[in-house]
Structures are given as structure tokens and as C-alpha cells.
Amino acid sequence: MATTPDTTSSLPAGMAGEARLLGKLLASFDGMLYCCRIDENRTMEFLSTGSEPLTGHSPEIFTTGGLAYEEITHPEDRMRVRDCIYAALENNERFSIEYRIVRRDGAVRWVQEMGTGVRGGSGGYIALEGFIQDITRRKQSEQALHEAERRFRSLFENAVEGIFQSTPNMGYLAVNPALARMYGYASPEQMIDTLRDIDQQLYVDGSRRLDFLDQMNCHGQVINFESQVRQRNGNLIWISENARAVRDGHGRILFFEGTVVDITERRMYEARIRHQATHDALTGLPNRNLLYDRLQQAIHGSQRTHGITAVAFIDLDQFKFINDSLGHLAGDELLKVVTARLKSCVRATDTVARQGGDEFVLVLTQQKSIEAVTDTVRRIIAVVAEPWTHNGIDLHVTCSVGISVCPNDGQDAETLLRNADSAMYKAKELGRNNFEYFTAAMNLDATARLEMLNSLRQVLSNEELLLHYQPKVDLASGRVVGAEALLRWRHPVRGLVPPSSFIPLAEESGMIMAIGEWVLRAACVQNVAWQRAGRPCIPISVNLSPRQLARHDIVDLVADVLQSTGLAPGCLELEITETVLMRDVDNSLAILRKLKELGVRISIDDFGTGYSSLNYLKRFPVDTLKIDRSFVHDIATDQDDAAIVKAVISLAHILNLRVVAEGVEEEDQRRFLMENGCDEVQGFYFGGPVEAEVFGEMCLRHIPESLLDRADQASAKRLLSIPF
Ligand code: C2E
Ligand code: MG
Ligand code: MG
């Protein structure tokens, strides 16, 4: 065969000479030129001086047969080198092989050999000639590159984040398994094949993809780009992408590459936190913050469209009673029931919010007319008033609603809410279970309240409080047998202010605690002073406020006051209104028992205005029942009132209680009470509340019935001028 190496023929004359010449020329090259026979040892005929730096051996050692080139060829590569050379010769081609040699110093180097066969006269190959150069450094960097690529591939394959390369117009070029898993695909290939139209198939909101492309065009990157995407099975997840655009030499975008993380959990957590921050935990309704936002939006809407926005402030009338008497669980249940009912009355565009406690606020947007608002509010009052069942018992609550309307009653959220609140208070004042629209006059009320609150704060330090005393007269004997201490405020501007004008405010603001303590002390000090001055010992009644009674330390306070003033406990009577006692029966009972143990007397005030439960009354350790003056007022003319008062007197006597009738103003009333066995009376007919000095004089005397008159301070003084 023509291409078979002819190893027997000798080299043509002159060829070695030429090679030597070439060797000199190429002495300066890195690498060596060679010419060798095609025999087993690749016997060298010629080697350039590059042999020394390349192999560590002089060229002569090869050309004189001292060392075969084959021997320094790495044993693992010898066969491959030979096969490659023979194959090239067979195909009449040049060859180029990379393999290792072992240098004289034992170091292994990579070389590249490029050569060709040299034909003899007979046409067959007789020799090889070529060039061998050290490529160790290139090989090393190739290997490093290879290694780096392997590492990057492993990163890509095993990354927890999704990694992708995608084209601007078509689908994905590459995705890693994590991304395929994240999007619900069995493999990257499946994902690339299926997800061709990223805009439509992936993003829930198609415009997100347009945003992505816009940002890529403008900034060449997207950072923390969050979107909701569809998984293969249709489930929705949230992702965050960080990606950049890869461009060609002309700045045209070739593709995008980036990472994707699944942030669904974080998003859900954030949503939960956001919901918690803006919603009430019990009812799930928007809270005050969100209400504020919604109202603000509604106001803007109103301004744009000239429509009506109404704010309805709703307060449950009996919530506190239900909460206190049936417990917080019942209270919570009631709030949920009311929530559902309120929602049922409004449209989806309206807001039902819980302002706190038993207060709800509705924002009714885009109302056609004020009548439409009224209709909605009427419906609300009616549905709230429907009974609801708790533990098998039908309970009834009602609500009072105050309404303010934008723009007439305010153009900002704060004003509208404040005005609706004032209107709600008015609705309460006017008898509850109804609604009131805000009027400018109410604002005056609110301002006045604020002023009052400010001056109330200084009432104690300015020593503006004083007590008036109203006699309680024994009907049988006509004697003054007791007195009720009634608080007055000597206001620097308004003069003498009655308790009804400031006690509710003191209650609301908590100032009643300090004020109540002052009253208790002042009344006891006064009683002791009277006794020291030789007046007879009569019990003085002090009114306790609901707040005072709600705290157990009232017992300690009373004990302390008795002890520090030295008043005999029997000379102190505490008046507690019936409604207050019934708010928390167990607590009231516990406190009353302790107070009773101190030896003070207890009287139930305003009996008949609350729940009038004689059943409970039996359990309370009380001494006296005071029939509210509203019953006494028409006692002589109204048969119902007369019947009630008679029944109360006889029941109280069965329970061994003394009965006091309040607000006796007429002789008819006195006679009726006398005839029906009422024990004591209190009222203008016998004497109104008077200052301590006046009362002190009065209680020394037995007041003759014939001289009793509508009492005021002047008439009391007149009485006192009559000799005993
Ligand atoms: P109350 O305990 O029922 O006191 C009786 C109220 O009826 C007193 O009003 C008294 O002036 C008034 N009154 C007495 N006789 C007649 C009458 O013949 N006709 C009419 N129409 N009224 C009569 P006042 O002094 O304005 O007190 C009102 C309420 O304020 C008291 O009702 C009591 O609940 C509360 N109050 C008064 N002083 C204190 C106090 O020191 N602490 C607390 N917590 N509440 C107090
Ligand atoms: Mg009273
Ligand atoms: Mg009373």
C-alpha cells in the first residue's frame, strides 16, 4: 500500500543537512523540529536544539540512539500517539496530536506535535517530520477552564434558586432543575418545551412581563422584581427575579439571564402582618387605621364626583351590660353577630369598620341622597335590634347612630369622624336605639366638653369642689334622720356646676377616682366635725360611681377614710345605683360584703331605673332602697307609678329593707308615701341640698310638718330660724 510507512528505506541524501540548517534557523523557537524514521522507536534522524529545553535531553542523545523518543512519550499516551500518526498517514493527512512526555527531570509536560509523513522514492512513507512544542500552560488553563465550567454547571444544576436564560421574544434557552421544580415541571427540558409564551403562560398579570422588558431595555437589569406567576398545574406563587440583559457587539439584547426565588411564604406572611395591622382581630373588620384610609379615599371620590359620602358612627347601647354580666365571650359573640348584620346592610363598596370596643363606623360612599343614607341607617338600627341567641336565651341589643355627611359636615376624615361621634352622643342622650344627623350645634357641645375636661383636671388642686347636704326625713317623726352628700363644682366662670354636668366626664376620663375619694373624705370629715360640735349622729350618704365600685380598693379606701377621720362606720352610708350593681353581680356582691363587714350602711340608689331585680336584691347585703324620683313624680296621678311604688315598698319590707323615696316635691306625694308605709323621704318638699353650715344647723332640729316648704337654701335658713 502506498501509504504504509516504509521503515526499511534510508533517508535521502541531503535531507539531514537541510534539516540541520532548518534546526539552526529555528533554534530560537520554543519547541523542536524533528525528522524521524517510521519505526517502533521513532528513531530520530534530526532534532533541533529546542529538544533541550523541551525534554531536558540534548538532541544528540536521540539521534545517536542513546534514547528513543518513544521512551519519553508518556506510557499512557504512546499507543494513542502511534495510532493517530498511522491513521493520518493512511489518509494522507497531516497530523496534530496532544500528549504528554516525561522530561529528563521526571516532570510531565503536555506537548503538541504537528507533522506529516515524508515519502521515499518508491512513494511510500519513509519518515515523519514535524514540530513538537510545549503546551503545558495552555493545557493547564484549559483544564482550569474545564473545571470552572464543571463547577458552574454543578452550581446551575444543584442551585436552590431558579436560574434561567430566556429570550426577549420566545421562551427559555436554559433553565435549571430548581426553576423547573419551582414552576411545577418534571424537568428543565419539559419546562423549556412547554413554556413558549412567557407573557401569557407564566405571569398572572400579563403586564408584568411588559414591565420586565421595559426595565431590561432601560436599565439592562431587573432587581428584586416581584410578580405572581402560574405553576404548571395552575397554582399561583409569588417570585422575585434578579436578571440582566446580555447584549451583542451592537448593543442588541441577545438574551436575559437571571435567578428566581419563590417568595410565596414571605408574601403570605407580609399579607398576614398587613392584614393584622389594618384589621380587627375579633371581627376581621378594617380597624381604625384602614378606616382612616378608606374614608380619605371616599372623600377624594366625593370631591371628584360631587357624590355624597356619609359616615355613620354606631355604638351599641347595652354592650357593657352584656359584657359585664354575661362575660367577655358573650360580648365577643355579640360583636361578631353585629358585624355580620352590619355587613348585610351595606354594599361591597362601603366600609364597615370597628373603631374599638362596641363602636363601629360605616363609610357609605356615592350615596344618591340623604334619604338613601337614612334608609340604610334605619335598616341597620332594625337589624341590630333583632334578638340574638346566646346559650339558649334571646338577648336584645340596640344601637345609637350618629351620622355626618361629606362635604357639608367636614371634608377630612378626622372632622367627619368627630362629628359623627358627637351626633352619636346626641342620639344616646335622646333615648338610644335611634340616629341623629350631625348639626353645627353639636360641635359647640363637643368644644364645651373639651373645655370642661381641661378645667376639670384642675378641680382638686384649685379646691373648687364642695359638698351640699340634703336631708332625709323620717316620715313618721318628721325628723332629719340622714343626709345625702351631693357634689358641687364651684367653677370660676360658670358658677356652681351640678354633678350631672361633670360627673359623666369625670367617669370617662378616670378623674372620678380622685374626685370620689375627695368626696368620701370630705363627707366623713364633715360628719365628725358636726358630731364634735354636738350635733346628733346621723348617717351621711355618699354616692359611689361605677368606676369606684369596679375596683376592689374601694374597700381599703373606705376603711382608711373611716380610720383616719375617726367616723363610726354606722354613720356612713354608701349609695350605689342599681344599674351599677347589676353590671357585674359577682364582683358587686363580693365588694358589698366586704364593705358591710366594715360596718357601713349600703343603699341602692335610683331603684326602678335599671333592671329592678328583686331576686338579686335578696342576695345583696343592703340596708336601704331609694325609689327613683321618676316614679315619685307622678305617684299621685299615675296609677301605674302608684302601683309600682306600693309594690316596691312592700317587697322591700319583706326583704327587711328601709325605703326612701327620692324627689318628693308635693304634699300629695308625701301623703301617698306616708299612707303606703314608706320609711323616709328626700326632696325639695323637705329641703333641697344646702351647704354644710346650713345643714349643720338644720339637723339639730325637729322640723314641724306644718312649716315644711319647698326648700331651697333660703327656705332652709328660714326653717332654722324657728325655735325648736
Ligand atoms: P342622686 O344620688 O339620685 O341624688 C339626688 C339628686 O336629686 C340630687 O341631684 C338632688 O339635688 C336631686 N333632688 C333632690 N330632691 C329633689 C326633688 O325634690 N326634685 C328633683 N327634681 N330633684 C331632687 P344632684 O345633686 O344634681 O345630683 C345628681 C346626681 O349626681 C345624683 O343623683 C348622683 O347620682 C350624682 N352625684 C351627686 N354627687 C355625687 C358624688 O359625690 N359622687 C358621685 N359618684 N355621684 C354623685
Ligand atoms: Mg344618690
Ligand atoms: Mg338617686
Side-chain angles (χ1 to χ4, degrees), residues 11 48 135 144 160 226 238 262 377 408 461 481 590 625 662 702:
L11 285 172
S48 69
I135 57 161
V160 200
E226 298 188 2
W238 278 94
D262 182 341
V377 171
N408 293 5
S461 54
V481 288
L625 204 70
E662 295 180 325
H702 174 119

Side-chain angles (χ1 to χ4, degrees), residues 21-33 48-50 131:
L21 183 65
L22 211 56
K24 271 184 192 158
L25 282 172
L26 295 172
S28 55
F29 278 84
D30 283 341
M32 61 182 189
L33 239 114
S48 69
T49 49
F131 185 70

Side-chain angles (χ1 to χ4, degrees), residues 8-45:
T8 53
S9 315
S10 54
L11 285 172
M15 188 183 273
E18 266 175 49
R20 225 169 279 124
L21 183 65
L22 211 56
K24 271 184 192 158
L25 282 172
L26 295 172
S28 55
F29 278 84
D30 283 341
M32 61 182 189
L33 239 114
Y34 73 91
C35 176
C36 70
R37 293 194 190 151
I38 307 180
D39 58 15
E40 262 182 18
N41 293 324
R42 295 186 65 189
T43 308
M44 289 293 172
E45 284 294 325

Side-chain angles (χ1 to χ4, degrees), residues 484 543 575 577 605-606 626 628-629 662:
E484 179 170 9
N543 292 285
E575 289 195 7
T577 56
D605 205 356
D606 303 343
K626 294 183 79 175
D628 189 67
R629 65 170 182 270
E662 295 180 325

Side-chain angles (χ1 to χ4, degrees), residues 21 75 119 304 350 442 473 492 498 566 587 697:
L21 183 65
R119 293 181 191 277
R304 262 200 324 275
D350 298 328
M442 291 176 191
V473 175
N587 186 45
E697 292 303 314

Side-chain angles (χ1 to χ4, degrees), residues 444-718:
L444 290 179
D445 292 356
T447 320
R449 263 164 64 94
L450 202 64
E451 264 172 31
M452 176 88 85
L453 198 63
N454 283 337
S455 36
L456 195 58
R457 289 188 210 284
Q458 282 130 38
V459 90
L460 284 173
S461 54
N462 289 354
E463 299 185 354
E464 287 168 1
L465 292 181
L466 73 156
L467 290 178
H468 276 184
Y469 296 88
Q470 184 179 31
K472 289 183 189 172
V473 175
D474 177 73
L475 264 182
S477 66
R479 277 177 185 277
V480 175
V481 288
E484 179 170 9
L486 292 160
L487 186 57
R488 301 289 179 262
W489 175 10
R490 209 193 302 276
H491 192 281
V493 183
R494 294 165 155 222
L496 215 56
V497 181
S500 54
S501 307
F502 67 93
I503 291 232
L505 210 58
E507 273 270 345
E508 259 175 51
S509 59
M511 275 182 273
I512 193 69
M513 301 308 288
I515 292 177
E517 178 173 347
W518 179 90
V519 171
L520 194 62
R521 239 173 247 285
C524 291
V525 165
Q526 183 61 67
N527 203 355
V528 169
W530 277 328
Q531 287 173 37
R532 292 218 176 114
R535 313 280 191 261
C537 166
I538 56 163
I540 306 287
S541 306
V542 168
N543 292 285
L544 287 192
S545 88
R547 274 224 183 181
Q548 280 176 295
L549 197 74
R551 292 175 50 157
H552 277 264
D553 57 10
I554 183 68
V555 181
D556 296 336
L557 176 67
V558 172
D560 176 64
V561 169
L562 287 174
Q563 213 247 329
S564 61
T565 57
L567 184 71
C571 289
L572 176 64
E573 185 170 69
L574 299 174
E575 289 195 7
I576 301 161
T577 56
E578 184 197 7
T579 37
V580 170
L581 280 184
M582 301 301 292
R583 276 186 195 168
D584 184 349
V585 172
D586 291 340
N587 186 45
S588 303
L589 199 57
I591 290 178
L592 290 198
R593 283 200 180 124
K594 286 191 193 140
L595 288 172
K596 205 65 208 138
E597 278 165 20
L598 294 177
V600 298
R601 300 162 62 87
I602 291 168
S603 132
I604 299 218
D605 205 356
D606 303 343
F607 188 78
T609 52
Y611 299 91
S612 310
S613 168
L614 285 162
N615 186 33
Y616 277 122
L617 213 54
K618 218 167 45 188
R619 295 169 57 194
F620 289 130
V622 292
D623 303 280
T624 313
L625 204 70
K626 294 183 79 175
I627 302 178
D628 189 67
R629 65 170 182 270
S630 56
F631 296 97
V632 175
H633 192 259
D634 295 328
I635 212 172
T637 48
D638 185 319
Q639 291 199 339
D640 287 346
D641 281 355
I644 290 170
V645 171
K646 271 193 210 173
V648 171
I649 294 172
S650 53
L651 276 166
H653 284 162
I654 292 169
L655 293 171
N656 226 359
L657 304 175
R658 272 180 82 74
V659 183
V660 180
E662 295 180 325
V664 181
E665 297 177 350
E666 315 280 344
E667 169 56 20
D668 290 355
Q669 295 164 344
R670 185 200 66 86
R671 190 175 314 113
F672 178 94
L673 292 163
M674 178 101 161
E675 282 166 7
N676 286 286
C678 181
D679 303 295
E680 291 170 30
V681 282
Q682 182 183 342
F684 296 154
Y685 188 69
F686 299 92
V690 289
E691 282 172 12
E693 309 83 75
V694 183
F695 185 83
E697 292 303 314
M698 196 160 78
C699 68
L700 263 183
R701 307 178 186 278
H702 174 119
I703 305 171
E705 212 173 295
S706 59
L707 291 175
L708 289 175
D709 197 356
R710 278 190 68 89
D712 51 21
Q713 207 156 310
S715 63
K717 279 183 181 152
R718 206 168 57 242

